[in-house]
Structure formats: structure tokens, C-alpha cells
């Protein structure tokens, strides 16, 4: 596939780019700082230097792609709207180019559903929403924008991300993974690629965890 990745220099984004290139995909990485990008000289990797205000560059980057993926996330305390700002900019660009397939990463912690056990529902999630209020509010805005986009969207909802090794993981559609409290960034990247290639995941949320 031809895939555009936003957030390609982040923890998950780097795994995603590396795994996609290893499996033969063509990647367009939209980054603010190309010096942070691994494999910058790979023949199937195109690099676009742009931030979220460069709508013309973003539009060109998503044109003609099979899938567009956002792994954007905050890098500091003041960067608390990056996910929703990024989603809105990407959606605008995709609509302008008739691109359809969108994969966006948010989190499982900001929402409680039937997949959560009683302890998670009653204790863990309320605590997380209290201490991670700004970040979770941005995830909620992102979810809203993506679901209202009219695109063929999939929202990935991982739990706490780690730098652990790859191993077997569980997924759940339109509900959280019960007891799944962590996931390695490398496994999240694998799940993103799997979802991007599976049209049945369009219009759904995919949670994952061990």
C-alpha cells in the first residue's frame, strides 16, 4: 500500500514506518523535523517537512494514498491539542483530495465501556481522567472529529504504551480489551498496519492490549 504517516518521528510512528517499509509498503512521512526520522534514505520512503498549519503540503501528502495514519501525540504540557488539531487538518486535506482511508490513534483510557471490568470502570478510569484530563479531552475531541468526518475511518485505542518487545496481543472491536492495561508501541504499529489493510475495520474502534 501507499501510506501517509503523521507523527512518524514519535515512538509509535517510528515503529510503524520501519515495519511498513520492511513489509514492502511505500511510506510518505509528514514530519516537522526530518532529522529525527529513521531510514530517511530508504527508496520507498518520501519525507514531507510540514506542520499542521501547512495545509497545502498536507493535502499533497495525502493525495492518491491508500491509507493515511495519524500517530500524533503531545510532546510537552503545552502541546495539548495536537491530536484533534491534526485530525481536523488531515480530514480537511483528505476531503480535498477524495482520499478515504483514515487510521487515527487515541487511547482506551479516556472512555469507559462494556469491555472494562468493575475495578477499571469504577476506580482506574476515573483516576486516569482526573490526572490526564487535558490529554483525554483532546482524545475525545479527536474521536468526535474522526467519526463525523464521513471518511472510512478506524480509531485505534491502545492502553498505556511501553517500549517492550513484541509479543501476542489481543484486540476488541467497538469495546475495550478487558484487563489489557499495556501494549508495546511496536505491537500497536503492527495492529495499525493490520487495520489499514482490512476494510472491515472501517467505521469501528479497535482496542488492544495484552
Amino acid at each position: 500500500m501507499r501510506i501517509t504517516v503523521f507523527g512518524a518521528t514519535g515512538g509509535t510512528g517510528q515503529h510503524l514506518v520501519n515495519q511498513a517499509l520492511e513489509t514492502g509498503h511505500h511510506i510518505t512521512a509528514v514530519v516537522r523535523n526530518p532529522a529525527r526520522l529513521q531510514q530517511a534514505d530508504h527508496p520507498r520512503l518520501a519525507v514531507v517537512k510540514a506542520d499542521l498549519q501547512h495545509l497545502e503540503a498536507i493535502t499533497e501528502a495525502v493525495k492518491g494514498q491508500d491509507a493515511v495514519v495519524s500517530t500524533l501525540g503531545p510532546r510537552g504540557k503545552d502541546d495539548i491539542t495536537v491530536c484533534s488539531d491534526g485530525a481536523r487538518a488531515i480530514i480537511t486535506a483528505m476531503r480535498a483530495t477524495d482520499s478515504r482511508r483514515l487510521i487515527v490513534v487515541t487511547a482506551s483510557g479516556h472512555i469507559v465501556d462494556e469491555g472494562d471490568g468493575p475495578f477499571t470502570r469504577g476506580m482506574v478510569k476515573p483516576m486516569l481522567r482526573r490526572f490526564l484530563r487535558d490529554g483525554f479531552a483532546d482524545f475525545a475531541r479527536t474521536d468526535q472529529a474522526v467519526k463525523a468526518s464521513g471518511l472510512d475511518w478506524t480509531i485505534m485505542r491502545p492502553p498505556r504504551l511501553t517500549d517492550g518487545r513484541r509479543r501476542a496481543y489481543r484486540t476488541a472491536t467497538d469495546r475495550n480489551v478487558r484487563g489489557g492495561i499495556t501494549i508495546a508501541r511496536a505491537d500497536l504499529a503492527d495492529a495499525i498496519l493490520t487495520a489499514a489493510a482490512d476494510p472491515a475495520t472501517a467505521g469501528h474502534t479497535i482496542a488492544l492490549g495484552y
Side-chain angles (χ1 to χ4, degrees), residues 74 76-85 134-135 137-139 141:
K77 293 181 180 179
D78 296 329
D79 202 13
I80 59 172
T81 64
V82 65
C83 293
S84 56
D85 289 346
D134 290 338
D138 195 36
F139 288 147
R141 291 190 296 269

Side-chain angles (χ1 to χ4, degrees), residues 160-173:
R160 183 173 63 86
L161 296 172
T162 75
D163 291 320
R165 62 179 177 81
R166 292 182 64 177
R167 55 193 176 99
Y169 59 88
R170 296 177 290 150
T171 63
T173 301

Side-chain angles (χ1 to χ4, degrees), residues 1-4 62-68 100-102 196:
M1 294 186 295
R2 295 186 177 274
I3 305 172
T4 295
V62 304
K63 185 177 181 180
Q65 300 295 84
D66 298 308
V68 178
R100 296 294 309 167
R101 190 70 173 104
L102 175 64

Side-chain angles (χ1 to χ4, degrees), residues 19 165-167 169 183-191 208 210:
Q19 290 180 27
R165 62 179 177 81
R166 292 182 64 177
R167 55 193 176 99
Y169 59 88
I183 192 75
R185 290 175 175 87
D187 284 330
L188 172 56
D190 178 78
L208 59 162
Y210 296 128

Side-chain angles (χ1 to χ4, degrees), residues 9 17 33 40 48 73 85 103 137 141 144 151 160 166 170 192:
T9 60
V17 170
N33 183 6
V48 175
D85 289 346
I103 316 289
R141 291 190 296 269
Q144 184 177 23
L151 302 175
R160 183 173 63 86
R166 292 182 64 177
R170 296 177 290 150
I192 292 169

Side-chain angles (χ1 to χ4, degrees), residues 21-41:
L21 292 174
E22 288 171 1
T23 50
H25 300 300
H26 295 259
I27 301 299
T28 297
V30 182
V31 297
R32 289 179 290 186
N33 183 6
R36 293 174 52 90
L37 190 63
Q38 299 175 0
Q39 300 196 47
D41 58 348

Side-chain angles (χ1 to χ4, degrees), residues 14 72 74 142:
Q14 291 191 41
L72 291 168
T142 303

